[in-house]
């Protein structure tokens, strides 16, 4: 029902825009702000239209780059609204450029700052595929956490709060990506840390920040290789 509702809202908004009604300057300003903040992204089934979108900020695609890179993305795994209270910190550190390979560390700290009392039921909704919807008494936040690394990086260990954990892995647009299933209790932050070896790739370190309500704290402590 939610997807159908959002689809109907989207169609109504587009129809309104294309009708020529409203203030064009105000509409353009609002859409520009949304796109600039990463909250408006587009994809088209029509290949000609998608070619126009590809390569622009509206595409929202993970950048393809051989340079040093780290990012974190979270997916809400329980259909709750607790992302509003999520604090994120990403620290990416790497060694020097004296050889073709160097050690690197990606540290991600996540904190669920939701209040223990007073939240409406729809914020604490816990939905699982094939299961009835329930409302949690305590606003725990279950997340799928994706951490992307530099093209060619090899992971040696992954820990949460210092304890080794299992993880999923894959490759997305050249970047190794690692998946963690995390349950965040309010007021009890968790820290994911990856130890890797990666190419001493030239260029400055970059990241891609997922737009959420609370800004991410990002530290890139990576020497620039030439």
């Amino acid at each position: 029902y939610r997807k159908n509702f959002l689809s109907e809202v989207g169609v109504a908004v587009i129809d309104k825009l294309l009708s020529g009604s409203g203030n064009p300057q105000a509409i353009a300003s609002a859409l520009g702000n949304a796109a600039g903040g990463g909250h408006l992204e587009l994809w088209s089934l029509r290949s000609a239209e998608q070619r126009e979108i590809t390569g622009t900020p509206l595409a929202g695609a993970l950048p393809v780059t051989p340079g040093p890179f780290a990012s974190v993305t979270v997916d809400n795994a329980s259909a709750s609204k607790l992302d509003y209270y999520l604090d994120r910190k990403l620290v990416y550190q790497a060694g020097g450029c004296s050889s073709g390979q160097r050690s690197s560390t990606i540290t991600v700290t996540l904190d669920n700052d939701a209040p223990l009392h007073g939240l409406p039921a729809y914020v604490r909704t816990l939905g699982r595929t094939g299961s009835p919807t329930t409302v949690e008494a305590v606003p725990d936040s279950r997340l799928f956490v994706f951490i992307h690394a530099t093209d060619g990086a090899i992971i040696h260990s992954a820990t949460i709060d210092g304890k080794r954990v299992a993880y999923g892995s894959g490759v997305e647009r050249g970047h190794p990506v690692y998946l963690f299933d995390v349950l965040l209790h309010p007021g009890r932050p968790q820290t994911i840390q990856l130890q890797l070896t990666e190419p001493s790739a030239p260029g400055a370190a970059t990241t891609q920040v997922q737009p959420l309500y609370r800004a991410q704290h990002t530290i890139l402590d990576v020497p620039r290789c030439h």
Side-chain angles (χ1 to χ4, degrees):
Y1 295 114
R2 178 175 178 271
K3 289 183 178 179
N4 291 340
F5 174 75
L6 292 176
S7 178
E8 291 174 4
V9 169
V11 169
V13 170
I14 293 299
D15 287 344
K16 191 72 172 179
L17 288 173
L18 296 180
S19 71
S21 60
N23 184 325
Q25 186 175 3
I27 293 172
S29 177
L31 292 176
N33 289 335
H39 297 283
L40 175 63
E41 296 176 352
L42 301 177
W43 177 83
S44 176
L45 183 62
R46 299 184 178 93
S47 57
E49 293 177 351
Q50 183 58 29
R51 283 195 295 271
E52 296 296 322
I53 298 169
T54 300
T56 72
L58 289 172
L62 189 73
V64 177
T65 171
F69 181 86
S71 73
V72 58
T73 305
V74 299
D75 280 354
N76 188 313
S78 60
S80 71
K81 307 301 179 187
L82 294 172
D83 297 340
Y84 180 91
Y85 299 99
L86 181 65
D87 286 318
R88 301 163 292 157
K89 181 178 181 180
L90 169 72
V91 180
Y92 173 30
Q93 298 168 299
C97 308
S98 58
S99 65
Q101 299 284 318
R102 59 182 174 183
S103 298
S104 64
T105 303
I106 301 174
T107 305
V108 174
T109 301
L110 302 171
D111 188 11
N112 173 12
D113 191 38
L116 291 175
H117 307 287
L119 291 175
Y122 78 90
V123 176
R124 296 177 282 116
T125 296
L126 179 64
R128 293 191 179 96
T129 302
S131 302
T133 298
T134 60
V135 177
E136 291 191 299
V138 176
D140 293 333
S141 179
R142 186 179 175 215
L143 302 172
F144 294 140
V145 182
F146 299 87
I147 300 177
H148 290 81
T150 300
D151 187 349
I154 298 172
I155 188 169
H156 299 294
S157 69
T159 61
I160 295 182
D161 293 339
K163 297 179 181 180
R164 284 181 176 264
V165 293
Y167 55 88
S169 63
V171 177
E172 183 177 5
R173 293 174 66 84
H175 296 283
V177 56
Y178 308 101
L179 166 63
F180 300 86
D181 189 341
V182 174
L183 182 64
L184 283 178
H185 305 291
R188 292 166 57 184
Q190 294 188 40
T191 297
I192 305 170
Q193 188 168 84
L194 310 185
Q195 300 291 342
L196 311 107
T197 299
E198 65 180 58
S200 300
T206 59
T207 188
Q208 184 180 55
V209 179
Q210 180 183 14
L212 295 178
Y213 177 74
R214 296 190 178 187
Q216 176 179 296
H217 183 198
T218 304
I219 298 174
L220 305 179
D221 183 15
V222 179
R224 181 167 186 160
C225 300
H226 300 281

